[in-house]
């Protein structure tokens, strides 16, 4: 199940956000060894100050966050434009109200015990399906993101590889690429077929469009 949390309901889901920032620290800092901003038990950065839309994967109880990602409009500050701009070919920019950026995609593989088709954690597949469902509700044309090559392989297994925007670059021990994913019925259908998840994964879909205001 996927819970959507944006600037209109942060206070209602303070416990979920607390879990999410702790999860990001465990995944990105502790497990993957990325150079990220850590404050105590949280991984949190300047983009979290911009009131993004958080997409949270929950366990069956609806009380434990097992995965998450973050969405921001490309018209404002975002990681691809302002942090990883060297991944883009010269002159390539993404500044369009129908294009959002996805970042901080992560799943706690110790907590996410369920699996779907293709040997992928169910929470991973649900987060991807949620991207397309949210994109359709918000009228998006594309989602852009920076991902590592390991994540690109997982996306291929789910028929959701997207398209590379430029060549991979090394950041410390991680090789990363920029990519974009077209929001279409066909792509969502391919993802559902590959994952075996044919129902909507969203718990709530109210006020999604307000993030782009």
């Amino acid at each position: 199940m996927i819970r959507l949390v944006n600037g209109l309901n942060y206070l209602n889901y303070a416990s979920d956000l607390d879990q999410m920032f702790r999860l990001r620290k465990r995944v990105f800092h502790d497990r993957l060894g990325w150079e990220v901003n850590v404050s105590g038990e949280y991984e949190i950065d300047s983009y979290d100050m911009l009131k993004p839309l958080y997409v949270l994967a929950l366990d069956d109880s609806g009380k434990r966050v097992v995965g998450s990602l973050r969405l921001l409009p490309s018209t404002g500050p975002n990681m691809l434009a302002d942090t990883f701009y060297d991944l883009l070919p010269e002159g390539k920019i993404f500044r369009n109200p129908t294009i959002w950026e996805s970042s901080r995609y992560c799943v706690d593989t110790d907590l996410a015990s369920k699996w779907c088709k293709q040997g992928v954690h169910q929470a991973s597949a649900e987060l991807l399906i949620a991207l397309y469902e949210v994109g359709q509700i918000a009228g998006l044309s594309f989602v852009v993101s920076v991902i590592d090559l390991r994540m690109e392989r997982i996306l291929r297994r789910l028929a959701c590889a997207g398209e590379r925007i430029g060549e991979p670059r090394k950041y410390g021990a991680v090789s990363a690429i920029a990519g974009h994913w077209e929001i279409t019925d066909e792509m969502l259908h391919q993802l559902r077929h590959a994952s075996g998840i044919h129902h909507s994964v969203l718990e709530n879909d109210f006020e999604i469009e307000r993030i782009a205001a």
Side-chain angles (χ1 to χ4, degrees):
M1 177 175 68
I2 297 295
R3 177 169 293 159
L4 304 175
V5 181
N6 67 13
L8 298 175
N9 59 5
Y10 283 172
L11 292 179
N12 295 337
Y13 298 109
S15 175
D16 293 333
L17 296 181
D18 181 270
Q19 291 183 62
M20 179 198 69
F21 289 123
R22 292 175 184 271
L23 168 62
R24 282 171 33 177
K25 192 260 186 181
R26 291 196 304 274
V27 171
F28 296 121
H29 180 268
D30 299 349
R31 191 177 82 201
L32 298 177
W34 290 11
E35 295 181 4
V36 292
N37 293 322
V38 170
S39 176
E41 293 302 310
Y42 294 162
E43 187 278 304
I44 189 167
D45 63 20
S46 60
Y47 299 104
D48 291 303
M49 304 297 106
L50 301 175
K51 295 186 177 180
L53 173 64
Y54 294 112
V55 181
L56 309 180
L58 307 177
D59 66 5
D60 287 343
S61 73
K63 296 179 180 178
R64 174 168 267 185
V65 176
V66 299
S68 67
L69 60 83
R70 174 178 69 188
L71 286 168
L72 280 166
S74 66
T75 50
N78 62 82
M79 296 195 79
L80 180 56
D82 302 296
T83 301
F84 294 107
Y85 49 83
D86 52 345
L87 284 171
L88 297 173
E90 186 175 355
K92 188 75 172 180
I93 59 172
F94 290 90
R95 296 289 189 188
N96 189 303
T98 69
I99 300 175
W100 288 1
E101 183 206 49
S102 171
S103 61
R104 289 301 191 258
Y105 180 109
C106 65
V107 171
D108 190 321
T109 54
D110 293 329
L111 295 178
S113 58
K114 285 191 171 183
W115 297 79
C116 68
K117 293 169 63 177
Q118 311 302 328
V120 175
H121 283 95
Q122 181 171 312
S124 296
E126 287 185 347
L127 286 168
L128 293 172
I129 291 171
L131 267 182
Y132 282 91
E133 293 191 4
V134 169
Q136 289 183 331
I137 293 168
L140 303 186
S141 57
F142 288 92
V143 169
V144 296
S145 187
V146 175
I147 60 174
D148 62 30
L149 299 185
R150 174 193 57 84
M151 186 63 197
E152 186 182 39
R153 290 192 292 271
I154 292 175
L155 295 177
R156 284 186 180 137
R157 287 157 64 183
L158 289 170
C160 187
E163 294 186 25
R164 288 187 177 188
I165 299 169
E167 295 301 314
R169 289 180 64 94
K170 197 85 168 176
Y171 295 93
V174 179
S175 291
I177 60 161
H180 63 85
W181 289 260
E182 188 174 9
I183 303 301
T184 65
D185 289 336
E186 181 182 1
M187 288 293 291
L188 178 57
H189 175 76
Q190 289 179 193
L191 179 54
R192 290 194 185 282
H193 178 74
S195 66
I197 301 173
H198 300 288
H199 58 275
S200 173
V201 297
L202 300 183
E203 174 194 53
N204 56 334
D205 60 6
F206 57 94
E207 302 288 359
I208 293 175
E209 69 280 357
R210 289 285 295 277
I211 188 177

